[in-house]
Amino acid sequence: MYCRRQASMKEIRSISPIFTFLVLIALSLIFGLIAIPSGRAIQLTAWASLFTLPVLLPIQNKATRKWIFPILFLGFSILFIDFGIRGFLYHMYEASPTSAFVIESLLNTNQNESFEFFQANSIEILCWIAISFTFIALITLILLYWVKAKSISFSHPKTTYALFIFFICFIVASWVIKPWRAHLPPMEWVNVASKIESLRADWNSITEEIAQEGNAAEQHITKLHHEAETIVLVIGESINRDNMSLYGYARDTTPRLKAESKKPGFFYAKEAWSTRSSTVEAFHSMFSFALDQHDKVNHGNVFAFFQKAGWYIEWISNQDDLAIKSEYASWAKNDLFLNRAGGRTSNSMDEKVLVPLKEALNNPAPKKLIIVHLIGIHPNYSLRSPSDYSVHWSDEDTVSTQLKEKDRSLRTQIARNDYDRAMLYQDKILTETLELTQKASENQSVLWLFLSDHGNETGNCLDRTGHSPVTLSGYKIPFMLWASPKFTKQEDLQHLPQEFRADWLSEMLFDAAGIHWKNSNPTRSILESNYQYQEPEIISSLKKRPCS
């Protein structure tokens, strides 16, 4: 009897390719859902699909299956080891492998620190190693079962072909869509290596760059006046003013800001523009400026000027960006980066910034510049508001009707609903940052500012959503401010011009802070009576383009 059992184990008569395929995919998805957020887990199943497709083929020759087995084993091993590492980082630190937190840790850790790290986290590390190897063992058993089968049953050819075609499309999409491709196992770790090298190069040059920017600031500051004592600059992400009821949008997406706009000291520009449609470039345009119109090489850094003028700079961010951190946040006396899982699938809520902002406002420093960088409505829109945020837009309201009249796809309509829901959440966060600032403004000259780095296309001009360098929606931003009664220019706020451009923000900040410098241009500060607005060339050219 024992011998007969042995024989049956060695020679499995028949195996269903569909069943085997679905079990392999299911195991991959289960591990992914255990390790990381569901959106990323589903995306990475595309990698598992690549090494599962051969199982669907009616390969009757055992020798061929034995030859394919090592390739499939290697593919799944790479994925499950990858899941183990991602799972450890996510559950321990809410971090992704390419986050600034991880990149800096890898670059800034020596051998002794690495040993201490493994000692301190040995239980968690061993746990994720065990989980990874358990799933590798399960996959290996299933693949061996497939290899040893005497024959491959091909009883449902239509279902098999349908699965094969669907997953081929799924795999192709995962490599064609850039944000998706970037997180597949080989690309993710190539990206990690690239970011480490890039950061190493930045760190090697950062000391010299900081010294140059500091020297430039010292040489160009001419005098300081007593203006604002505290400036809170809140920077949004991917926020299009066309989707704000404050600006006349049909859906009531910003009821709190709308109420604030009726109170003394509040101002918002009816027409505000970014001159760049992506975050890093937008930051360069806002916080980097020419020191001399004849010098095209050397540029000033807004935060270097503030620091040299004696301001205490605090940086609070719910974004994860190495470029911004090294070029601008490095000037902060205190910086706090709250988001350790950058990218479109990060679900870090902006309410995280409120407690650090309250603490920063209570700092006794006589002059404070507080930067609050939100994740805003950075795509994916559905992740930019809490999961229990139960607002729903009617399929029959004005916005839905307009989208249908423009023949927008269901995908665009769903994205617009998600975007507007996230806008309502942003209304809450922005108003709370304003209220915290107002509470801390007694007997102080305080200025609160909000603008977005750039806009987003939300189906207004094209049948798609997201970053857009080719439509006005990519550059439409909100700009608003509130000034305490002691702010010297408060009485002029109601008479400010209605046009603003973000690349002139530096002149306005210097004006508000009372920082005067060589070659400054006060006609670019919206706070000045001689402000002379000029429409950005990119905006003028895009206004001539028709929308589809």
Side-chain angles (χ1 to χ4, degrees):
M1 185 156 216
Y2 176 75
C3 293
R4 282 199 298 271
R5 283 182 183 172
Q6 285 275 61
S8 65
M9 287 292 291
K10 289 180 180 178
E11 190 172 337
I12 300 156
R13 291 193 174 188
S14 181
I15 189 169
S16 167
I18 294 175
F19 177 77
T20 309
F21 177 87
L22 292 177
V23 169
L24 292 171
I25 291 293
L27 282 172
S28 302
L29 186 56
I30 289 168
F31 190 7
L33 293 172
I34 291 171
I36 53 180
S38 58
R40 180 73 72 232
I42 292 169
Q43 288 179 354
L44 291 179
T45 305
W47 177 263
S49 304
L50 182 63
F51 294 92
T52 313
L53 279 179
V55 174
L56 276 177
L57 301 174
I59 304 171
Q60 302 295 349
N61 190 306
K62 274 190 181 183
T64 304
R65 276 181 267 148
K66 286 181 180 179
W67 180 82
I68 294 173
F69 169 80
I71 299 171
L72 306 190
F73 173 79
L74 179 62
F76 278 107
S77 297
I78 290 171
L79 178 64
F80 290 166
I81 292 170
D82 177 85
F83 274 158
I85 296 171
R86 291 180 198 245
F88 169 76
L89 292 173
Y90 180 74
H91 289 274
M92 284 293 292
Y93 305 105
E94 293 187 354
S96 64
T98 53
S99 67
F101 169 77
V102 173
I103 300 300
E104 288 182 347
S105 298
L106 289 172
L107 185 56
N108 199 34
T109 301
N110 57 40
Q111 188 173 351
N112 288 335
E113 288 173 335
S114 298
F115 181 71
E116 290 170 1
F117 172 82
F118 284 111
Q119 272 190 319
N121 299 281
S122 57
I123 295 175
E124 291 82 5
I125 291 170
L126 289 172
C127 177
W128 282 103
I129 289 174
I131 294 172
S132 295
F133 280 96
T134 298
F135 274 88
I136 289 172
L138 289 171
I139 288 287
T140 303
L141 287 173
I142 294 165
L143 290 175
L144 287 173
Y145 191 85
W146 172 73
V147 168
K148 291 183 178 183
K150 187 175 182 181
S151 66
I152 302 296
S153 170
F154 205 62
S155 54
H156 299 89
K158 288 184 179 180
T159 305
T160 304
Y161 290 140
L163 280 172
F164 194 86
I165 292 170
F166 174 81
F167 278 94
I168 281 286
C169 294
F170 183 47
I171 292 166
V172 170
S174 73
W175 287 94
V176 170
I177 301 170
K178 186 178 179 181
W180 192 340
R181 180 177 71 243
H183 293 285
L184 293 175
M187 303 304 294
E188 178 87 352
W189 298 104
V190 167
N191 198 10
V192 168
S194 175
K195 285 193 172 187
I196 289 173
E197 289 306 311
S198 178
L199 184 60
R200 181 181 284 114
D202 284 346
W203 281 1
N204 289 336
S205 61
I206 193 68
T207 303
E208 184 179 347
E209 288 180 16
I210 287 176
Q212 289 176 349
E213 290 174 348
N215 289 336
E218 289 175 338
Q219 292 169 10
H220 283 77
I221 293 174
T222 55
K223 58 182 178 180
L224 303 173
H225 283 173
H226 184 75
E227 296 291 350
E229 295 169 341
T230 298
I231 297 176
V232 177
L233 175 59
V234 184
I235 306 170
E237 166 72 47
S238 301
I239 295 181
N240 184 340
R241 66 174 185 271
D242 279 352
N243 292 71
M244 305 178 80
S245 54
L246 174 67
Y247 282 85
Y249 187 51
R251 286 175 174 168
D252 197 14
T253 54
T254 53
R256 297 189 186 189
L257 287 172
K258 199 172 181 179
E260 290 293 334
S261 70
K262 298 173 183 176
K263 298 178 182 178
F266 192 97
F267 165 82
Y268 68 100
K270 300 293 194 303
E271 186 172 326
W273 301 100
S274 173
T275 58
R276 300 291 186 272
S277 61
S278 61
T279 300
V280 175
E281 288 187 349
F283 265 70
H284 290 334
S285 72
M286 291 189 290
F287 302 121
S288 179
F289 57 94
L291 293 167
D292 189 318
Q293 61 178 343
H294 303 296
D295 186 352
K296 304 298 181 183
V297 177
N298 297 309
H299 286 76
N301 184 313
V302 167
F303 305 108
F305 274 65
F306 267 82
Q307 194 211 62
K308 295 301 179 181
W311 285 68
Y312 185 96
I313 304 172
E314 294 212 39
W315 195 289
I316 304 165
S317 177
N318 192 28
Q319 290 231 22
D320 180 79
D321 196 300
L322 282 169
I324 290 171
K325 188 172 185 179
S326 61
E327 291 187 45
Y328 301 112
S330 58
W331 283 100
K333 188 74 173 179
N334 182 37
D335 63 57
L336 182 62
F337 283 78
L338 303 165
N339 188 348
R340 295 173 177 176
R344 292 173 179 257
T345 58
S346 168
N347 59 355
S348 182
M349 293 295 107
D350 276 329
E351 58 203 57
K352 286 182 178 181
V353 306
L354 297 175
V355 172
L357 173 59
K358 184 177 181 180
E359 293 172 352
L361 286 165
N362 290 331
N363 189 305
K367 292 190 289 185
K368 302 186 290 289
L369 173 62
I370 303 169
I371 313 299
V372 181
H373 188 194
L374 305 174
I375 198 169
I377 317 183
H378 180 57
N380 182 344
Y381 306 145
S382 63
L383 298 175
R384 299 297 161 249
S385 58
S387 57
D388 59 353
Y389 219 58
S390 57
V391 57
H392 298 284
W393 310 110
S394 170
D395 291 338
E396 305 299 327
D397 68 9
T398 303
V399 174
S400 295
T401 302
Q402 289 174 346
L403 289 172
K404 290 171 185 175
E405 288 174 352
K406 291 180 179 179
D407 199 27
R408 298 309 188 220
S409 65
L410 180 61
R411 180 175 177 272
T412 298
Q413 293 178 51
I414 293 171
R416 171 68 78 89
N417 291 338
D418 290 337
Y419 188 92
D420 290 347
R421 189 178 300 109
M423 184 69 80
L424 188 61
Y425 176 67
Q426 285 298 298
D427 178 61
K428 172 182 180 291
I429 300 301
L430 291 172
T431 305
E432 290 187 16
T433 67
L434 174 56
E435 289 171 349
L436 286 172
T437 305
Q438 290 170 335
K439 287 177 183 176
S441 66
E442 292 183 12
N443 302 315
Q444 283 192 62
S445 176
V446 175
L447 184 64
W448 175 92
L449 300 162
F450 169 71
L451 79 166
S452 184
D453 54 358
H454 55 79
N456 245 219
E457 177 60 59
T458 59
N460 289 319
C461 197
L462 300 173
D463 187 19
R464 71 171 192 80
T465 58
H467 290 63
S468 178
V470 295
T471 66
L472 285 171
S473 295
Y475 304 87
K476 282 185 178 180
I477 60 171
F479 172 74
M480 57 194 76
L481 62 84
W482 174 86
S484 69
K486 285 189 172 291
F487 185 67
T488 56
K489 300 177 187 292
Q490 197 216 41
E491 60 185 26
D492 302 322
L493 295 185
Q494 299 307 315
H495 307 290
L496 292 182
Q498 292 298 318
E499 301 86 13
F500 173 83
R501 49 188 290 177
D503 60 330
W504 289 0
L505 178 64
S506 57
E507 288 291 356
M508 182 204 166
L509 288 172
F510 291 147
D511 188 11
I515 299 172
H516 295 257
W517 64 284
K518 296 175 186 177
N519 305 319
S520 65
N521 188 351
T523 64
R524 292 186 173 185
S525 170
I526 199 171
L527 297 175
E528 287 294 321
S529 57
N530 62 340
Y531 177 68
Q532 297 175 12
Y533 175 76
Q534 299 171 22
E535 188 171 80
E537 291 182 13
I538 182 66
I539 304 305
S540 298
S541 63
L542 287 174
K543 281 183 176 180
K544 298 174 184 177
R545 293 187 182 183
C547 282
S548 59

PDB file of all heavy atoms in Angstrom, residues 13 51 70 83 203 225 239-240 259 264 268 278 293 296 333 372 447 464 469 491 509 517:
ATOM      1  N   ARG A  13      -1.627  11.897 -12.716  1.00  0.00           N
ATOM      2  CA  ARG A  13      -2.189  11.577 -14.024  1.00  0.00           C
ATOM      3  C   ARG A  13      -2.516  12.815 -14.858  1.00  0.00           C
ATOM      4  O   ARG A  13      -2.132  12.908 -16.007  1.00  0.00           O
ATOM      5  CB  ARG A  13      -3.453  10.732 -13.851  1.00  0.00           C
ATOM      6  CG  ARG A  13      -3.149   9.338 -13.338  1.00  0.00           C
ATOM      7  CD  ARG A  13      -4.337   8.450 -13.472  1.00  0.00           C
ATOM      8  NE  ARG A  13      -4.014   7.071 -13.115  1.00  0.00           N
ATOM      9  CZ  ARG A  13      -4.823   6.058 -13.289  1.00  0.00           C
ATOM     10  NH1 ARG A  13      -6.027   6.258 -13.797  1.00  0.00           N
ATOM     11  NH2 ARG A  13      -4.464   4.845 -12.940  1.00  0.00           N
ATOM     12  N   PHE A  51       4.784  35.128 -15.172  1.00  0.00           N
ATOM     13  CA  PHE A  51       5.392  33.818 -14.921  1.00  0.00           C
ATOM     14  C   PHE A  51       4.339  32.731 -14.658  1.00  0.00           C
ATOM     15  O   PHE A  51       4.684  31.610 -14.311  1.00  0.00           O
ATOM     16  CB  PHE A  51       6.363  33.918 -13.742  1.00  0.00           C
ATOM     17  CG  PHE A  51       7.537  34.793 -14.038  1.00  0.00           C
ATOM     18  CD1 PHE A  51       7.503  36.154 -13.723  1.00  0.00           C
ATOM     19  CD2 PHE A  51       8.653  34.302 -14.695  1.00  0.00           C
ATOM     20  CE1 PHE A  51       8.577  36.977 -14.021  1.00  0.00           C
ATOM     21  CE2 PHE A  51       9.723  35.121 -15.005  1.00  0.00           C
ATOM     22  CZ  PHE A  51       9.684  36.466 -14.674  1.00  0.00           C
ATOM     23  N   PRO A  70      12.520  26.265 -13.789  1.00  0.00           N
ATOM     24  CA  PRO A  70      13.438  27.195 -13.108  1.00  0.00           C
ATOM     25  C   PRO A  70      13.117  28.664 -13.394  1.00  0.00           C
ATOM     26  O   PRO A  70      13.301  29.516 -12.523  1.00  0.00           O
ATOM     27  CB  PRO A  70      14.814  26.810 -13.674  1.00  0.00           C
ATOM     28  CG  PRO A  70      14.651  25.446 -14.208  1.00  0.00           C
ATOM     29  CD  PRO A  70      13.243  25.358 -14.685  1.00  0.00           C
ATOM     30  N   PHE A  83       8.006  41.310  -2.144  1.00  0.00           N
ATOM     31  CA  PHE A  83       6.870  41.515  -1.253  1.00  0.00           C
ATOM     32  C   PHE A  83       7.315  41.528   0.210  1.00  0.00           C
ATOM     33  O   PHE A  83       6.810  42.315   1.017  1.00  0.00           O
ATOM     34  CB  PHE A  83       5.829  40.410  -1.460  1.00  0.00           C
ATOM     35  CG  PHE A  83       4.852  40.671  -2.575  1.00  0.00           C
ATOM     36  CD1 PHE A  83       4.178  39.618  -3.169  1.00  0.00           C
ATOM     37  CD2 PHE A  83       4.600  41.959  -3.030  1.00  0.00           C
ATOM     38  CE1 PHE A  83       3.261  39.840  -4.192  1.00  0.00           C
ATOM     39  CE2 PHE A  83       3.694  42.190  -4.045  1.00  0.00           C
ATOM     40  CZ  PHE A  83       3.027  41.125  -4.643  1.00  0.00           C
ATOM     41  N   TRP A 203      24.502  65.087  -2.244  1.00  0.00           N
ATOM     42  CA  TRP A 203      25.149  65.330  -0.961  1.00  0.00           C
ATOM     43  C   TRP A 203      26.594  65.777  -1.127  1.00  0.00           C
ATOM     44  O   TRP A 203      27.101  66.565  -0.331  1.00  0.00           O
ATOM     45  CB  TRP A 203      25.083  64.059  -0.106  1.00  0.00           C
ATOM     46  CG  TRP A 203      23.748  63.856   0.536  1.00  0.00           C
ATOM     47  CD1 TRP A 203      22.646  64.646   0.412  1.00  0.00           C
ATOM     48  CD2 TRP A 203      23.377  62.789   1.414  1.00  0.00           C
ATOM     49  NE1 TRP A 203      21.611  64.137   1.141  1.00  0.00           N
ATOM     50  CE2 TRP A 203      22.012  63.007   1.773  1.00  0.00           C
ATOM     51  CE3 TRP A 203      24.026  61.681   1.918  1.00  0.00           C
ATOM     52  CZ2 TRP A 203      21.323  62.145   2.623  1.00  0.00           C
ATOM     53  CZ3 TRP A 203      23.333  60.824   2.760  1.00  0.00           C
ATOM     54  CH2 TRP A 203      22.005  61.056   3.121  1.00  0.00           C
ATOM     55  N   HIS A 225      13.059  95.517   6.874  1.00  0.00           N
ATOM     56  CA  HIS A 225      12.023  96.291   7.535  1.00  0.00           C
ATOM     57  C   HIS A 225      11.202  95.366   8.424  1.00  0.00           C
ATOM     58  O   HIS A 225      11.160  94.155   8.203  1.00  0.00           O
ATOM     59  CB  HIS A 225      11.105  96.957   6.514  1.00  0.00           C
ATOM     60  CG  HIS A 225      11.719  98.168   5.894  1.00  0.00           C
ATOM     61  ND1 HIS A 225      11.143  98.850   4.852  1.00  0.00           N
ATOM     62  CD2 HIS A 225      12.871  98.835   6.162  1.00  0.00           C
ATOM     63  CE1 HIS A 225      11.895  99.871   4.504  1.00  0.00           C
ATOM     64  NE2 HIS A 225      12.954  99.879   5.280  1.00  0.00           N
ATOM     65  N   ILE A 239      -4.152  71.118  -7.505  1.00  0.00           N
ATOM     66  CA  ILE A 239      -5.466  71.694  -7.214  1.00  0.00           C
ATOM     67  C   ILE A 239      -5.847  72.716  -8.283  1.00  0.00           C
ATOM     68  O   ILE A 239      -5.157  73.719  -8.474  1.00  0.00           O
ATOM     69  CB  ILE A 239      -5.497  72.316  -5.809  1.00  0.00           C
ATOM     70  CG1 ILE A 239      -5.321  71.207  -4.763  1.00  0.00           C
ATOM     71  CG2 ILE A 239      -6.781  73.084  -5.575  1.00  0.00           C
ATOM     72  CD1 ILE A 239      -5.351  71.683  -3.338  1.00  0.00           C
ATOM     73  N   ASN A 240      -6.935  72.429  -8.958  1.00  0.00           N
ATOM     74  CA  ASN A 240      -7.465  73.278 -10.022  1.00  0.00           C
ATOM     75  C   ASN A 240      -8.565  74.158  -9.442  1.00  0.00           C
ATOM     76  O   ASN A 240      -9.541  73.654  -8.893  1.00  0.00           O
ATOM     77  CB  ASN A 240      -8.013  72.395 -11.150  1.00  0.00           C
ATOM     78  CG  ASN A 240      -8.493  73.192 -12.343  1.00  0.00           C
ATOM     79  OD1 ASN A 240      -8.769  74.390 -12.253  1.00  0.00           O
ATOM     80  ND2 ASN A 240      -8.606  72.527 -13.481  1.00  0.00           N
ATOM     81  N   ALA A 259     -16.891  80.581   3.221  1.00  0.00           N
ATOM     82  CA  ALA A 259     -17.317  81.337   4.402  1.00  0.00           C
ATOM     83  C   ALA A 259     -16.193  82.238   4.908  1.00  0.00           C
ATOM     84  O   ALA A 259     -16.428  83.396   5.292  1.00  0.00           O
ATOM     85  CB  ALA A 259     -17.754  80.370   5.504  1.00  0.00           C
ATOM     86  N   PRO A 264     -13.050  89.677   7.357  1.00  0.00           N
ATOM     87  CA  PRO A 264     -11.979  90.660   7.172  1.00  0.00           C
ATOM     88  C   PRO A 264     -10.606  89.985   7.103  1.00  0.00           C
ATOM     89  O   PRO A 264     -10.356  88.999   7.791  1.00  0.00           O
ATOM     90  CB  PRO A 264     -12.085  91.542   8.419  1.00  0.00           C
ATOM     91  CG  PRO A 264     -13.468  91.322   8.934  1.00  0.00           C
ATOM     92  CD  PRO A 264     -13.833  89.917   8.581  1.00  0.00           C
ATOM     93  N   TYR A 268      -8.687  86.407  -2.106  1.00  0.00           N
ATOM     94  CA  TYR A 268      -8.306  85.383  -3.078  1.00  0.00           C
ATOM     95  C   TYR A 268      -8.334  85.989  -4.476  1.00  0.00           C
ATOM     96  O   TYR A 268      -9.184  86.817  -4.800  1.00  0.00           O
ATOM     97  CB  TYR A 268      -9.216  84.155  -2.989  1.00  0.00           C
ATOM     98  CG  TYR A 268     -10.647  84.354  -3.419  1.00  0.00           C
ATOM     99  CD1 TYR A 268     -11.071  83.959  -4.680  1.00  0.00           C
ATOM    100  CD2 TYR A 268     -11.588  84.920  -2.545  1.00  0.00           C
ATOM    101  CE1 TYR A 268     -12.400  84.131  -5.079  1.00  0.00           C
ATOM    102  CE2 TYR A 268     -12.898  85.083  -2.928  1.00  0.00           C
ATOM    103  CZ  TYR A 268     -13.309  84.693  -4.196  1.00  0.00           C
ATOM    104  OH  TYR A 268     -14.612  84.867  -4.583  1.00  0.00           O
ATOM    105  N   SER A 278       4.278  70.576 -13.443  1.00  0.00           N
ATOM    106  CA  SER A 278       4.760  69.476 -12.610  1.00  0.00           C
ATOM    107  C   SER A 278       5.405  70.046 -11.352  1.00  0.00           C
ATOM    108  O   SER A 278       5.854  71.201 -11.336  1.00  0.00           O
ATOM    109  CB  SER A 278       5.757  68.595 -13.367  1.00  0.00           C
ATOM    110  OG  SER A 278       6.891  69.344 -13.751  1.00  0.00           O
ATOM    111  N   GLN A 293      19.338  90.136 -14.103  1.00  0.00           N
ATOM    112  CA  GLN A 293      18.746  89.812 -15.401  1.00  0.00           C
ATOM    113  C   GLN A 293      19.789  89.495 -16.460  1.00  0.00           C
ATOM    114  O   GLN A 293      19.493  88.859 -17.472  1.00  0.00           O
ATOM    115  CB  GLN A 293      17.858  90.966 -15.884  1.00  0.00           C
ATOM    116  CG  GLN A 293      18.612  92.280 -16.076  1.00  0.00           C
ATOM    117  CD  GLN A 293      17.694  93.375 -16.610  1.00  0.00           C
ATOM    118  OE1 GLN A 293      16.611  93.089 -17.120  1.00  0.00           O
ATOM    119  NE2 GLN A 293      18.140  94.621 -16.487  1.00  0.00           N
ATOM    120  N   LYS A 296      22.501  84.580 -16.351  1.00  0.00           N
ATOM    121  CA  LYS A 296      21.592  83.468 -16.589  1.00  0.00           C
ATOM    122  C   LYS A 296      22.010  82.188 -15.861  1.00  0.00           C
ATOM    123  O   LYS A 296      21.330  81.177 -15.953  1.00  0.00           O
ATOM    124  CB  LYS A 296      21.505  83.175 -18.095  1.00  0.00           C
ATOM    125  CG  LYS A 296      21.103  84.373 -18.943  1.00  0.00           C
ATOM    126  CD  LYS A 296      19.721  84.887 -18.576  1.00  0.00           C
ATOM    127  CE  LYS A 296      19.312  86.070 -19.460  1.00  0.00           C
ATOM    128  NZ  LYS A 296      18.004  86.625 -19.072  1.00  0.00           N
ATOM    129  N   LYS A 333      15.438  75.175   9.606  1.00  0.00           N
ATOM    130  CA  LYS A 333      16.054  74.846  10.889  1.00  0.00           C
ATOM    131  C   LYS A 333      15.485  73.527  11.404  1.00  0.00           C
ATOM    132  O   LYS A 333      16.158  72.751  12.066  1.00  0.00           O
ATOM    133  CB  LYS A 333      15.757  75.971  11.894  1.00  0.00           C
ATOM    134  CG  LYS A 333      16.504  75.849  13.206  1.00  0.00           C
ATOM    135  CD  LYS A 333      17.974  76.206  13.056  1.00  0.00           C
ATOM    136  CE  LYS A 333      18.684  76.251  14.390  1.00  0.00           C
ATOM    137  NZ  LYS A 333      20.119  76.570  14.233  1.00  0.00           N
ATOM    138  N   VAL A 372       4.129  74.522   4.741  1.00  0.00           N
ATOM    139  CA  VAL A 372       3.308  73.320   4.878  1.00  0.00           C
ATOM    140  C   VAL A 372       3.035  72.799   3.466  1.00  0.00           C
ATOM    141  O   VAL A 372       2.298  73.429   2.701  1.00  0.00           O
ATOM    142  CB  VAL A 372       1.986  73.607   5.604  1.00  0.00           C
ATOM    143  CG1 VAL A 372       1.169  72.326   5.737  1.00  0.00           C
ATOM    144  CG2 VAL A 372       2.241  74.235   6.970  1.00  0.00           C
ATOM    145  N   LEU A 447       0.863  86.461   8.374  1.00  0.00           N
ATOM    146  CA  LEU A 447       0.335  86.303   7.021  1.00  0.00           C
ATOM    147  C   LEU A 447       0.226  84.814   6.706  1.00  0.00           C
ATOM    148  O   LEU A 447       1.193  84.066   6.872  1.00  0.00           O
ATOM    149  CB  LEU A 447       1.259  86.983   6.006  1.00  0.00           C
ATOM    150  CG  LEU A 447       0.784  86.991   4.545  1.00  0.00           C
ATOM    151  CD1 LEU A 447      -0.491  87.801   4.388  1.00  0.00           C
ATOM    152  CD2 LEU A 447       1.877  87.545   3.633  1.00  0.00           C
ATOM    153  N   ARG A 464      -9.852  63.155 -20.190  1.00  0.00           N
ATOM    154  CA  ARG A 464      -8.901  62.466 -19.331  1.00  0.00           C
ATOM    155  C   ARG A 464      -8.655  63.318 -18.096  1.00  0.00           C
ATOM    156  O   ARG A 464      -9.062  64.485 -18.038  1.00  0.00           O
ATOM    157  CB  ARG A 464      -7.582  62.176 -20.049  1.00  0.00           C
ATOM    158  CG  ARG A 464      -6.717  63.374 -20.333  1.00  0.00           C
ATOM    159  CD  ARG A 464      -5.359  62.918 -20.846  1.00  0.00           C
ATOM    160  NE  ARG A 464      -4.361  63.969 -20.878  1.00  0.00           N
ATOM    161  CZ  ARG A 464      -3.677  64.397 -19.825  1.00  0.00           C
ATOM    162  NH1 ARG A 464      -3.923  63.907 -18.630  1.00  0.00           N
ATOM    163  NH2 ARG A 464      -2.756  65.337 -19.945  1.00  0.00           N
ATOM    164  N   PRO A 469       0.330  69.414 -19.426  1.00  0.00           N
ATOM    165  CA  PRO A 469       1.094  70.569 -19.903  1.00  0.00           C
ATOM    166  C   PRO A 469       0.479  71.215 -21.143  1.00  0.00           C
ATOM    167  O   PRO A 469       0.963  72.231 -21.612  1.00  0.00           O
ATOM    168  CB  PRO A 469       2.461  69.956 -20.233  1.00  0.00           C
ATOM    169  CG  PRO A 469       2.154  68.549 -20.611  1.00  0.00           C
ATOM    170  CD  PRO A 469       0.975  68.136 -19.777  1.00  0.00           C
ATOM    171  N   GLU A 491      -5.241  96.535   5.360  1.00  0.00           N
ATOM    172  CA  GLU A 491      -6.321  97.402   4.900  1.00  0.00           C
ATOM    173  C   GLU A 491      -6.384  97.513   3.378  1.00  0.00           C
ATOM    174  O   GLU A 491      -7.404  97.913   2.811  1.00  0.00           O
ATOM    175  CB  GLU A 491      -6.162  98.798   5.499  1.00  0.00           C
ATOM    176  CG  GLU A 491      -4.850  99.465   5.118  1.00  0.00           C
ATOM    177  CD  GLU A 491      -4.654 100.795   5.824  1.00  0.00           C
ATOM    178  OE1 GLU A 491      -5.222 100.988   6.915  1.00  0.00           O
ATOM    179  OE2 GLU A 491      -3.923 101.638   5.272  1.00  0.00           O
ATOM    180  N   LEU A 509       6.828  87.315  -1.225  1.00  0.00           N
ATOM    181  CA  LEU A 509       7.297  86.857   0.083  1.00  0.00           C
ATOM    182  C   LEU A 509       8.305  87.835   0.677  1.00  0.00           C
ATOM    183  O   LEU A 509       8.239  88.151   1.875  1.00  0.00           O
ATOM    184  CB  LEU A 509       7.924  85.467  -0.052  1.00  0.00           C
ATOM    185  CG  LEU A 509       6.946  84.310  -0.304  1.00  0.00           C
ATOM    186  CD1 LEU A 509       7.715  83.026  -0.606  1.00  0.00           C
ATOM    187  CD2 LEU A 509       6.017  84.094   0.880  1.00  0.00           C
ATOM    188  N   TRP A 517      16.367  93.612  -1.411  1.00  0.00           N
ATOM    189  CA  TRP A 517      17.606  93.092  -1.996  1.00  0.00           C
ATOM    190  C   TRP A 517      17.904  93.799  -3.323  1.00  0.00           C
ATOM    191  O   TRP A 517      17.009  94.374  -3.944  1.00  0.00           O
ATOM    192  CB  TRP A 517      17.530  91.579  -2.180  1.00  0.00           C
ATOM    193  CG  TRP A 517      16.495  91.086  -3.150  1.00  0.00           C
ATOM    194  CD1 TRP A 517      15.153  90.996  -2.959  1.00  0.00           C
ATOM    195  CD2 TRP A 517      16.734  90.630  -4.486  1.00  0.00           C
ATOM    196  NE1 TRP A 517      14.526  90.501  -4.066  1.00  0.00           N
ATOM    197  CE2 TRP A 517      15.470  90.266  -5.025  1.00  0.00           C
ATOM    198  CE3 TRP A 517      17.872  90.478  -5.278  1.00  0.00           C
ATOM    199  CZ2 TRP A 517      15.329  89.776  -6.323  1.00  0.00           C
ATOM    200  CZ3 TRP A 517      17.724  89.968  -6.558  1.00  0.00           C
ATOM    201  CH2 TRP A 517      16.469  89.628  -7.072  1.00  0.00           C
TER     202      TRP A 517
END
